[in-house]
């Protein structure tokens, strides 16, 4: 049980407080309800570029990191297609330094030309390092537009192309801040050995006078129901053929989301999963194979991916994979199989909740879904799942007309 | 309205409680370290073996480590993995120069049952031919993928030139995957696992009886006397470029052989290392990322072995920025040798390091990991109190002295790949 308190400031900022008496540290986690899905198609990569700029100084404080380091703390952030999340970890005695820094950058940024110029370059190098200069690094840049035709999930958080980042202008930056970075669009979670009243007073002190802003309405292009099988082959100078089967699955708030999560575990979470055992161990078709879900807020993807063994063709794999997937029609998972997955889930959750930062992040995530207490109730949803639910969901999701396949064909670099 | 231009006042960290694990004898030389103050149901078990990559033929240590759950004469690898997964356990294994280890993460209630499966799997490991063939093929594929990454290319050449030693500096080639002999693997397993246990680490709210069971189950693998390592390496000062067509980034590695925690300069050098490249506000990050935008990240570290250590600068930069970046790294070395660190920067690094030390002592898992960082050198947790003292009293002059002594550009091994 993760205990928490909630307090909503007049300007709309949601504060969550989680008390942990065992730690000398404090965590300040701030979730902004904005991600790459909120970008326009002509200016992608912006939510992520903006995350970098949030460290470039705020309206009253020229440098974000140095004062936090002076207080013994550390900070970082990440952007997904759905959210942007910032966190600070520091000795609890210096918590006010973090609140001072975080509240000032929620109030307004410094918007210096130098910061924009440098962070554009840094993000371009990040683009190269993670997406272009790695074997298979550009797979998600190809897979997203294959699986999504309308919804903004069709581009990656890093952006569709480097050009969009190169062309980012200061006026875009300012407009993005004004629209998305306001108290009413944020969830703040503070965790540590404090009293709730003390935290409420500190948060009122530092955040209370920030103008509320208007929580932006989110109107996104809905992804039409996929009704046809899609397939694309790209040729790359990589050593081995690789495959990525992407199946559409329900959005985060749907109960079937959890069923699809267990389905992906059954297929390919670990070395006792169906695909690993059948396609890798028994049939020796793949060197690697696994299954997972993207976990996104809107309609997500269940991915089955891996690499072929030498001498195995895409066709051989494809035949064997569909036979395995169709087995769900006649063979629902056994109660032993389900019990195994539930035991793994329980272990992961216990370990995940060990960390103070994880607890604070998850509280914010569940609050965004509707109620932070979801963190304590999620296991009930999993526990209610019956093998027949997984079978129904499997038959619904794992079909050709719901599938987009990306094949990476290995070609020689020597030509 | 509050005045947002005023910095809130800071409190300094004066004291950190370092908690020592309980120590139990497995044999006269092999110990079990236990941290039982865990406020939840999680637990972790680590088994350390004298089965590092410096032993045996190249590749052997790593293959055996990866094959530990590959099956016995009565259980297949699928069955073993299924049993472990059914208990909700996570298994990890890894190998370094001088050590091999396996770890289990599980709920406390399942740990002994998981250990019993692991015990049987390792004790009766059969090295089935199809499992060995499968692993060798997987490894060959991973090797080829690695060779497409500039970071991997730079790292392997760096390792060769850094250790500059026939064993520590050896690196795998594709041909090494061709002639893996099962009898060699079997011999290695018998010599270095079945008679190679050097340490057991247990975290979780276990009773003394449960700890005794762990000792009983692992005891027959314990070594009679712990291994000693005597080799000392000297890096080859040189500059090497590994060509990789069409790469849009170049990986850079700069470093030299150095010392480990046993050396009296170690703690102070860590402070210098932090200033130079071991935190977000470091000299290298500020210059090369935050001022010039050449890279997504650059960092430095000190890595340790039993009788030596090494210093390393690592980054990946835009292909046209290789020379400019090397120039800036050299510039930052020289600046630390010729200019005193300002009082403000000194204070910031002190506070930052103390805050990070507090963080690295937070909770039973972190505390055990801190202990494991000093245990191989036979220096107790007092080391961390010495760190606090050294951080508090270090001066800019001392930093300069160490920069002159150790950051000698002409003695560095420099490798670039791209």
């Amino acid at each position: 049980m993760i205990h928490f308190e909630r307090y909503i400031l007049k300007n709309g900022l949601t504060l969550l407080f989680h008390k942990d008496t065992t730690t000398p540290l404090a965590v300040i986690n701030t979730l902004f309800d904005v991600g790459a899905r909120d970008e326009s198609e002509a200016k992608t990569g912006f939510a992520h570029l903006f995350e970098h700029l949030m460290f470039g100084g705020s309206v009253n404080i020229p440098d974000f990191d140095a004062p936090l380091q002076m207080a013994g703390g550390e900070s970082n952030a990440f952007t997904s297609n759905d959210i942007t999340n910032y966190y600070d970890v520091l000795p609890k005695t210096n918590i006010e330094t973090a609140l001072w820094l975080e509240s000032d950058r929620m109030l307004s940024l410094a918007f210096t030309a130098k910061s924009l110029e440098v962070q554009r370059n840094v993000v371009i190098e990040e683009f190269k390092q993670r997406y272009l200069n790695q074997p298979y690094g550009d797979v998600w840049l190809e897979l997203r537009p294959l699986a999504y035709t309308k919804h903004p999930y069709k581009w990656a958080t890093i952006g569709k192309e480097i050009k969009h980042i190169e062309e980012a202008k200061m006026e875009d930056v300012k407009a993005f801040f004004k629209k998305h970075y306001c108290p009413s669009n944020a969830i703040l979670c503070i965790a540590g050995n404090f009293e709730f009243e003390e935290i409420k007073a500190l948060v009122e002190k530092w955040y209370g006078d920030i103008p509320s802003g208007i929580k932006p309405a989110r109107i996104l292009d809905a992804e039409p129901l996929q009704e046809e099988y899609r397939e694309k082959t790209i040729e790359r100078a990589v050593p081995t053929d690789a495959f990525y089967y992407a199946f559409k699955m329900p959005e985060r708030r749907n109960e079937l989301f959890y069923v699809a999560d267990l389905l992906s575990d059954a297929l390919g979470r670990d070395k006792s999963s169906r695909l690993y055992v059948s396609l890798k161990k028994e049939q020796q078709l793949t060197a690697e194979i696994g299954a997972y879900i993207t976990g996104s807020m809107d309609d997500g993807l269940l991915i089955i991916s891996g690499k072929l063994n030498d001498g195995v063709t895409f066709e051989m794999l494809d035949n064997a994979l569909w036979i395995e997937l169709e087995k769900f029609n006649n063979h629902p998972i056994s109660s032993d199989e389900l019990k195994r997955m539930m035991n793994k889930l329980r272990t992961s959750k216990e370990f995940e909740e060990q960390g103070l930062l994880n607890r604070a992040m998850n509280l914010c995530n569940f609050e965004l879904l509707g109620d932070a207490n979801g963190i304590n109730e999620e296991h009930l949803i999993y526990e209610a799942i019956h093998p027949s639910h997984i079978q129904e969901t499997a038959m619904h999701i794992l079909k050709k007309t719901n599938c987009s396949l990306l094949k990476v064909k290995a070609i020689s670099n020597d030509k | 309205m509050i005045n947002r231009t005023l910095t809130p006042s800071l409190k300094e960290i004066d004291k950190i409680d370092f908690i020592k694990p309980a120590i139990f004898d497995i044999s006269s030389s092999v110990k079990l370290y236990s941290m039982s103050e865990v406020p939840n149901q999680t637990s972790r078990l680590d088994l350390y073996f004298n089965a590092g990559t410096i032993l045996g033929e190249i590749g052997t240590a790593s293959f055996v480590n990866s094959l530990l759950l590959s099956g016995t004469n009565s259980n297949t690898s699928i069955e073993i993995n299924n049993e472990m997964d059914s208990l909700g356990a996570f298994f990890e294994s890894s190998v370094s120069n001088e050590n091999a280890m396996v770890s289990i993460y599980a709920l406390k209630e399942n740990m002994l049952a998981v250990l019993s499966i692991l015990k049987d799997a390792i004790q009766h490991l059969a090295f089935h031919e199809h499992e060995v063939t499968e692993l060798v093929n997987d490894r060959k594929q991973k090797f080829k993928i690695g060779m497409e990454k500039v970071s991997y290319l730079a790292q392997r050449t760096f390792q060769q030139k850094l250790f500059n030693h026939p064993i520590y500096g050896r690196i795998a080639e594709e041909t090494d995957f061709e002639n893996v002999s099962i009898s060699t693997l079997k011999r290695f397993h018998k010599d270095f696992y079945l008679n190679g246990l050097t340490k057991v680490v247990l975290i979780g709210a276990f009773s003394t009886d449960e700890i005794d069971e762990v000792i009983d189950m692992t005891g027959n693998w314990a070594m009679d006397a712990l291994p000693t390592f005597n080799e000392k390496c000297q890096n080859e000062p040189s500059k090497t470029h590994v060509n990789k067509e069409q790469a849009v980034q170049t990986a850079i590695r700069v470093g030299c052989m150095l010392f480990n925690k046993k050396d009296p300069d170690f703690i102070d050098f860590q402070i210098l290392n932090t200033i130079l490249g071991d935190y977000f506000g470091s000299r290298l990050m500020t210059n090369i990322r935050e001022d010039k935008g050449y890279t997504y990240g650059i960092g430095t570290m000190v890595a340790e072995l039993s009788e030596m250590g090494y210093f390393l600068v690592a980054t990946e930069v835009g292909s046209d920025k290789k020379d400019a970046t090397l120039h800036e790294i050299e510039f930052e070395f020289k600046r630390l040798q010729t200019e005193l660190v300002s009082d403000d920067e000194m204070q910031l690094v002190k506070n930052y390091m103390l805050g990070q030390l507090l963080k690295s002592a937070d909770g039973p898992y972190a505390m055990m990991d801190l202990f494991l960082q000093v245990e191989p050198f036979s220096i107790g947790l007092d080391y961390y109190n010495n760190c606090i003292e050294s951080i508090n009293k270090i001066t800019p002059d001392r930093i300069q002295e160490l920069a002159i002594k150790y950051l000698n550009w002409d003695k560095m091994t420099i490798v670039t790949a791209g």
Side-chain angles (χ1 to χ4, degrees):
Chain A
M1 178 79 185
I2 308 283
H3 292 276
F4 71 93
E5 308 272 0
R6 181 190 291 109
Y7 174 72
I8 298 177
L9 276 70
K10 284 205 182 65
N11 59 16
L13 176 67
T14 301
L15 165 68
L16 301 171
F17 167 65
H18 167 64
K19 183 167 182 163
D20 182 338
T21 56
T22 66
T23 178
L25 303 172
V27 165
I28 293 86
N29 190 71
T30 314
L31 180 155
F32 286 94
D33 185 5
V34 57
R37 65 176 164 165
D38 299 302
E39 296 161 351
S40 86
E41 193 167 358
K43 293 177 182 176
T44 65
F46 218 84
H48 170 251
L49 172 64
F50 194 85
E51 173 216 310
H52 279 247
L53 296 171
M54 282 285 278
F55 293 87
S58 54
V59 59
N60 296 297
I61 310 169
D63 183 4
F64 180 87
D65 286 292
L68 192 66
Q69 288 150 0
M70 189 64 101
E74 242 189 348
S75 176
N76 212 333
F78 61 84
T79 308
S80 74
N81 294 74
D82 295 317
I83 61 162
T84 314
N85 190 79
Y86 300 83
Y87 57 90
D88 314 305
V89 182
L90 78 172
K92 66 160 275 198
T93 46
N94 292 336
I95 184 175
E96 211 162 348
T97 301
L99 297 176
W100 167 65
L101 288 163
E102 288 292 355
S103 64
D104 201 54
R105 69 177 177 178
M106 193 183 287
L107 178 66
S108 188
L109 292 187
F111 297 116
T112 66
K114 163 94 182 174
S115 172
L116 177 59
E117 171 64 29
V118 167
Q119 291 308 318
R120 261 198 308 241
N121 288 334
V122 170
V123 170
I124 289 168
E125 289 308 322
E126 181 180 359
F127 201 129
K128 291 182 195 163
Q129 184 169 328
R130 295 170 64 166
Y131 297 86
L132 304 182
N133 211 31
Q134 300 288 338
Y136 315 101
D138 63 343
V139 157
W140 279 95
L141 302 181
E142 298 285 344
L143 185 57
R144 285 189 171 277
L146 186 66
Y148 293 99
T149 57
K150 289 268 189 297
H151 190 282
Y153 285 165
K154 68 181 172 181
W155 57 83
T157 47
I158 195 75
K160 278 167 83 164
E161 47 188 318
I162 285 183
K163 192 161 137 277
H164 285 185
I165 298 160
E166 284 168 344
E167 288 172 354
K169 295 192 177 57
M170 186 57 87
E171 63 197 72
D172 301 331
V173 174
K174 287 186 176 169
F176 193 87
F177 182 84
K178 192 151 182 270
K179 184 170 177 194
H180 298 288
Y181 280 75
C182 55
S184 52
N185 209 30
I187 300 165
L188 172 69
C189 181
I190 296 179
N193 188 10
F194 302 100
E195 296 303 328
F196 183 39
E197 291 306 318
E198 173 190 7
I199 290 299
K200 251 163 59 177
L202 278 173
V203 169
E204 276 291 358
K205 173 180 168 187
W206 289 105
Y207 291 81
D209 64 3
I210 304 176
S212 156
I214 300 164
K215 186 169 174 69
R218 176 174 283 125
I219 304 163
L220 304 178
D221 288 330
E223 183 62 20
L225 182 71
Q226 184 173 340
E227 289 175 317
E228 79 291 329
Y229 172 67
R230 296 174 195 154
E231 188 182 310
K232 182 176 181 182
T233 303
I234 56 175
E235 295 189 333
R236 293 290 183 270
V238 292
T240 305
D241 295 341
F243 56 88
Y244 301 80
Y245 289 81
F247 299 88
K248 294 275 173 47
M249 63 165 275
E251 75 278 2
R252 184 69 182 82
R253 287 189 180 88
N254 191 322
E255 270 189 49
L256 292 179
F257 173 91
Y258 296 89
V259 184
D261 185 26
L262 280 189
L263 173 62
S264 73
D265 288 353
L267 287 169
R269 173 173 181 150
D270 44 40
K271 291 183 174 173
S272 48
S273 61
R274 286 187 172 199
L275 299 179
Y276 188 91
V277 169
S278 170
L279 302 185
K280 176 168 167 61
K281 298 304 292 187
E282 291 171 357
Q283 301 183 56
Q284 301 274 327
L285 296 172
T286 67
E288 287 171 28
I289 188 159
Y292 60 94
I293 60 170
T294 53
S296 45
M297 294 290 276
D298 300 326
D299 287 1
L301 299 174
L302 185 156
I303 308 283
I304 296 171
S305 65
K307 299 196 173 69
L308 297 181
N309 271 333
D310 285 354
V312 175
T313 64
F314 284 112
E315 197 187 349
M316 288 159 72
L317 169 83
D318 196 64
N319 291 334
L321 176 67
W322 284 104
I323 288 171
E324 205 52 48
L325 298 182
E326 278 157 15
K327 279 188 186 162
F328 280 101
N329 295 335
N330 304 315
H331 301 87
I333 64 168
S334 66
S335 56
D336 279 354
E337 220 177 336
L338 184 59
K339 199 172 150 229
R340 191 186 76 217
M341 293 186 294
M342 292 301 292
N343 283 343
K344 276 240 126 119
L345 265 183
R346 220 183 117 212
T347 311
S348 329
K349 191 164 166 72
E350 281 276 336
F351 272 96
E352 196 180 303
E353 289 181 354
Q354 269 256 123
L356 190 68
L357 177 60
N358 280 339
R359 273 175 268 157
M361 277 183 189
N362 280 336
L363 282 167
C364 286
N365 279 326
F366 279 103
E367 184 71 6
L368 182 67
L369 288 174
D371 181 356
N373 197 44
I375 200 171
N376 297 311
E377 293 171 341
E378 193 183 43
H379 70 104
L380 297 173
I381 307 178
Y382 281 112
E383 281 160 17
I385 295 173
H386 187 266
S388 65
H389 300 141
I390 298 181
Q391 185 179 23
E392 282 161 32
T393 301
M395 289 166 69
H396 185 66
I397 293 178
L398 304 175
K399 55 188 185 194
K400 277 228 156 181
T401 51
N402 190 43
C403 176
S404 305
L405 168 61
L406 179 70
K407 301 193 276 198
V408 185
K409 180 96 194 107
I411 52 164
S412 165
N413 202 3
D414 306 333
K415 287 174 212 160
Chain B
M1 285 291 250
I2 37 168
N3 185 346
R4 292 182 173 273
T5 56
L6 295 179
T7 315
S9 62
L10 296 178
K11 287 213 178 69
E12 284 189 13
I13 296 162
D14 40 20
K15 187 174 168 292
I16 301 175
D17 289 324
F18 298 103
I19 302 159
K20 199 178 169 193
I23 304 175
F24 299 83
D25 286 331
I26 295 180
S27 70
S28 55
S29 53
V30 178
K31 312 280 182 209
L32 179 147
Y33 300 103
S34 158
M35 188 73 80
S36 59
E37 293 79 10
V38 178
N40 52 48
Q41 291 305 304
T42 63
S43 68
R44 184 181 103 198
L45 174 77
D46 305 327
L47 303 176
Y48 285 76
F49 296 91
N50 176 38
T53 57
I54 57 169
L55 298 169
E57 291 169 29
I58 188 155
T60 303
S62 164
F63 286 132
V64 174
N65 186 254
S66 297
L67 285 164
L68 291 174
L69 300 187
S70 68
T72 63
N73 285 328
S74 38
N75 290 96
T76 64
S77 69
I78 297 172
E79 286 164 340
I80 293 169
N81 280 301
N82 191 39
E83 284 179 43
M84 288 222 189
D85 287 336
S86 297
L87 290 164
F90 291 85
F91 170 85
E92 277 178 11
S93 67
S94 64
V95 59
S96 64
N97 284 318
E98 296 170 344
N99 265 309
M101 70 183 284
V102 300
S103 298
I104 300 168
Y105 297 80
L107 298 185
K108 183 195 156 270
E109 67 202 46
N110 296 322
M111 184 55 93
L112 288 173
V114 179
L115 175 58
S116 144
I117 298 164
L118 178 71
K119 160 88 187 171
D120 189 67
I122 294 180
Q123 186 70 46
H124 301 112
L125 181 53
F127 293 97
H128 296 300
E129 193 175 344
H130 65 274
E131 290 282 349
V132 175
T133 310
E134 184 185 334
L135 178 79
V136 170
N137 287 337
D138 291 354
R139 279 303 174 79
K140 212 190 289 179
Q141 199 180 88
K142 283 212 168 70
F143 176 80
K144 286 187 199 162
I145 293 171
M147 295 295 280
E148 292 297 319
K149 299 180 184 176
V150 290
S151 55
Y152 185 82
L153 289 171
Q155 190 58 40
R156 64 200 301 271
T157 302
F158 180 74
Q159 187 186 331
Q160 206 172 22
K161 308 228 168 240
L162 172 81
F163 286 108
N164 193 19
H165 181 278
I167 300 294
Y168 282 90
R170 62 185 176 175
I171 53 174
E173 299 294 344
E174 205 176 331
T175 49
D176 294 327
F177 298 94
E178 303 299 337
N179 305 310
V180 178
S181 119
I182 290 184
S183 62
T184 307
L185 299 179
K186 281 185 174 168
R187 199 174 328 116
F188 190 94
H189 168 252
K190 183 165 175 284
D191 291 349
F192 303 120
Y193 281 90
L194 300 187
N195 296 294
L197 184 77
T198 56
K199 179 163 59 187
V200 176
V201 174
L202 189 60
I203 307 169
F206 294 99
S207 66
T208 320
D209 284 351
E210 290 167 323
I211 293 170
D212 281 343
E213 273 194 65
V214 173
I215 293 173
D216 284 346
M217 276 197 269
T218 54
N220 68 326
W221 294 339
M223 292 186 83
D224 295 331
L226 293 181
T228 51
F229 301 92
N230 301 314
E231 294 293 325
K232 289 226 176 190
C233 300
Q234 194 55 53
N235 63 294
E236 175 195 321
S238 57
K239 196 170 169 182
T240 314
H241 182 74
V242 183
N243 199 47
K244 167 92 174 65
E245 292 297 328
Q246 292 162 359
V248 294
Q249 281 194 322
T250 298
I252 297 177
R253 300 289 181 272
V254 175
C256 61
M257 289 310 296
L258 204 68
F259 39 61
N260 60 25
K261 286 195 184 70
K262 289 182 188 169
D263 192 283
D265 280 347
F266 186 85
I267 294 176
D268 287 353
F269 188 85
Q270 281 293 357
I271 305 173
L272 168 62
N273 175 55
T274 304
I275 295 171
L276 176 63
D278 199 24
Y279 76 117
F280 193 85
S282 70
R283 295 272 178 105
L284 289 173
M285 275 293 270
T286 303
N287 179 345
I288 294 167
R289 172 176 147 137
E290 292 297 303
D291 184 54
K292 303 202 172 61
Y294 291 170
T295 180
Y296 178 48
I298 181 164
T300 62
M301 64 179 285
V302 180
E304 294 174 87
L305 290 86
S306 294
E307 292 301 323
M308 53 189 162
Y310 62 89
F311 165 74
L312 169 69
V313 185
T315 184
E316 269 103 84
V317 302
S319 293
D320 55 335
K321 300 290 187 277
K322 179 186 86 175
D323 293 334
T325 303
L326 283 173
H327 177 81
E328 294 300 330
I329 297 171
E330 184 182 2
F331 170 79
E332 293 297 349
F333 280 21
K334 295 256 157 72
R335 192 152 72 98
L336 284 162
Q337 292 167 345
T338 51
E339 280 175 29
L340 289 176
V341 174
S342 73
D343 291 344
D344 281 355
E345 186 179 0
M346 202 69 245
Q347 192 60 49
L348 185 147
V349 169
K350 286 180 180 188
N351 291 0
Y352 172 76
M353 289 186 80
L354 290 173
Q356 295 312 298
L357 191 55
L358 185 72
K359 187 174 154 191
S360 57
D362 182 28
Y365 286 85
M367 201 59 249
M368 180 61 97
D369 290 338
L370 272 191
F371 175 79
L372 292 172
Q373 286 173 39
V374 292
E375 181 272 338
F377 307 108
S378 314
I379 38 179
L381 287 168
D382 270 354
Y383 169 82
Y384 296 104
N385 290 317
N386 296 340
C387 281
I388 297 177
E389 204 186 313
S390 300
I391 292 169
N392 280 324
K393 75 172 194 216
I394 196 156
T395 61
D397 290 303
R398 172 73 175 146
I399 295 291
Q400 185 178 38
E401 179 194 326
L402 290 174
I404 293 168
K405 195 165 167 192
Y406 297 112
L407 298 182
N408 190 334
W409 188 255
D410 296 330
K411 293 196 174 150
M412 294 288 152
T413 297
I414 300 169
V415 177
T416 54

